[in-house]
């Protein structure tokens, strides 16, 4: 966590939005693992806003996956599955598959959601997410769930 925080500080000073967004999403992952859900939310939302400003669709998909991880940890399994559906559709559309390390985490997340929801409800929620545009999903998250304060 300390290294990601230091990286965030340095990239902010340099004004490197892309690297700032990467540090933020990594801090979000750490915060979820530490069950610091308020901080995780804020990191993911800030990263999502930056990536939207850069029109970085793959990066926005990564943020949606992070927020899905957060929602799963908070017991919001249907919302998580829908966000994964949006992210899956984006990744397919732009030809940006998960890298192997991301795939392991993703598969664990899917297994957790399958246990929480059952396969049929998981599939239905992911399909619903696939029908939501990236722009709409991002707008909903940024406008309805801005920084937690």
């Amino acid at each position: 966590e300390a290294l990601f925080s230091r990286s965030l500080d340095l990239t902010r000073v340099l004004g490197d939005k892309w690297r700032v967004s990467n540090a933020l999403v990594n801090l979000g992952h750490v915060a979820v693992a530490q069950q610091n859900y308020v901080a995780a939310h804020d990191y993911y939302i800030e990263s999502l806003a930056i990536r939207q400003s850069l029109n970085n669709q793959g990066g926005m998909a990564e943020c949606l996956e992070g927020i899905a991880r957060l929602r799963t940890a908070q017991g919001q399994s249907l919302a998580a599955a829908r966000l994964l559906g949006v992210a899956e559709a984006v990744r397919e559309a732009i030809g940006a598959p998960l890298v192997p390390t991301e795939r392991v985490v993703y598969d664990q997340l899917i297994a957790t959601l399958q246990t929480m929801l059952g396969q049929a409800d998981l599939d239905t929620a992911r399909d619903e997410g696939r029908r939501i545009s990236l722009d709409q999903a991002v707008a909903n998250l940024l406008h309805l769930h801005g920084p937690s304060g």
Side-chain angles (χ1 to χ4, degrees):
E1 177 184 16
L3 292 175
F4 288 131
S5 293
R6 181 73 178 133
S7 173
L8 178 60
D9 292 342
L10 291 172
T11 57
R12 283 192 199 277
V13 168
L14 295 172
D16 186 338
K17 287 183 171 185
W18 185 81
R19 285 190 171 86
V20 167
S21 73
N22 285 338
L24 287 165
V25 83
N26 285 322
L27 283 165
H29 297 335
V30 170
V32 170
Q34 294 175 339
Q35 298 180 347
N36 186 348
Y37 301 142
V38 171
H41 174 269
D42 290 347
Y43 289 135
Y44 288 136
I45 293 297
E46 185 178 354
S47 180
L48 183 63
I50 292 168
R51 289 171 176 194
Q52 180 191 42
S53 76
L54 298 172
N55 196 29
N56 180 338
Q57 293 181 345
M60 287 185 277
E62 181 183 18
C63 288
L64 296 181
E65 292 156 358
I67 296 167
R69 188 184 311 178
L70 171 62
R71 298 287 185 258
T72 300
Q74 295 175 310
Q76 299 172 19
S77 51
L78 284 172
R82 285 186 193 106
L83 288 172
L84 288 180
V86 177
E88 290 164 358
V90 170
R91 285 187 177 280
E92 288 172 12
I94 65 172
L98 293 165
V99 298
T101 54
E102 293 171 333
R103 172 57 66 186
V104 170
V105 173
Y106 178 85
D107 288 345
Q108 291 169 344
L109 182 56
I110 291 294
T112 300
L113 288 170
Q114 186 177 14
T115 299
M116 293 172 82
L117 292 171
Q119 190 64 52
D121 288 344
L122 174 59
D123 291 344
T124 298
R126 285 166 72 191
D127 288 344
E128 289 170 0
R130 288 175 165 278
R131 292 190 295 272
I132 299 170
S133 73
L134 176 61
D135 288 342
Q136 186 60 55
V138 170
N140 287 344
L141 288 165
L142 294 180
H143 297 296
L144 299 177
H145 305 289
S148 62

